[in-house]
Amino acid sequence: MPTIVSLLSLLGLVPLLVLAFGAVGAVPFVADRMLVALVDYAAVMLAFAGGLQWGVGLLSGGGRSSLRLTAAVLPVATGWIALVVAQFVSASSALGVLITGSLATLLTEYQAAPRAPALPPAVWLRWGFSGVVVAMLALVLLLRSVDHALIF
């Protein structure tokens, strides 16, 4: 796997971390804006995960491509639903939708992974990335639900 893939993946987590910490900051106005931006960014990341599955499904030998292509659309739809929920219900509820969608995408990727003793490094990178996303979204949801702010 090219080094640039790992580097860009790690750089993609930087906005997520900044927005997540900002969303639990001590200044309510700023924290609320950061939460909305976090929901937006997480929805885009979820759609990108679906795009990855779409690309693999289009490759020859991509496995059950019709099933993979169908599953690739679900993260995009889930991200869109989260954006609608953020607008009409609450950004915190949208976090729940995004966590569920990220976990479902991770489960789909796990089911699609080859049952080989050594998985490709790209699969481990994707799972690690998804794990960080889910952990950060869940942490923000938990801290905001108990009305806890981090002061830094």
Side-chain angles (χ1 to χ4, degrees):
M1 179 173 61
T3 305
I4 191 72
V5 172
S6 299
L7 179 63
L8 290 173
S9 294
L10 290 174
L11 287 174
L13 289 174
V14 171
L16 176 84
L17 297 172
V18 169
L19 293 169
F21 283 113
V24 293
V27 181
F29 175 79
V30 174
D32 290 345
R33 298 298 178 262
M34 296 291 259
L35 177 62
V36 171
L38 175 65
V39 167
D40 294 346
Y41 188 66
V44 169
M45 290 181 1
L46 192 56
F48 184 79
L52 290 173
Q53 292 302 315
W54 184 268
V56 171
L58 291 176
L59 293 173
S60 62
R64 300 171 293 192
S65 61
S66 61
L67 179 61
R68 187 181 288 267
L69 290 172
T70 302
V73 175
L74 295 178
V76 176
T78 304
W80 176 76
I81 290 168
L83 293 175
V84 171
V85 167
Q87 292 295 316
F88 293 104
V89 182
S90 73
S92 294
S93 297
L95 284 179
V97 172
L98 289 166
I99 291 167
T100 303
S102 296
L103 287 173
T105 301
L106 191 59
L107 180 63
T108 302
E109 291 172 354
Y110 174 76
Q111 293 295 327
R115 301 287 185 240
L119 292 173
V123 174
W124 287 111
L125 178 67
R126 182 71 201 121
W127 289 353
F129 188 90
S130 294
V132 170
V133 170
V134 168
M136 292 309 297
L137 295 178
L139 181 64
V140 169
L141 184 60
L142 174 69
L143 290 175
R144 287 186 66 95
S145 68
V146 297
D147 215 15
H148 184 75
L150 296 179
I151 299 172
F152 45 91

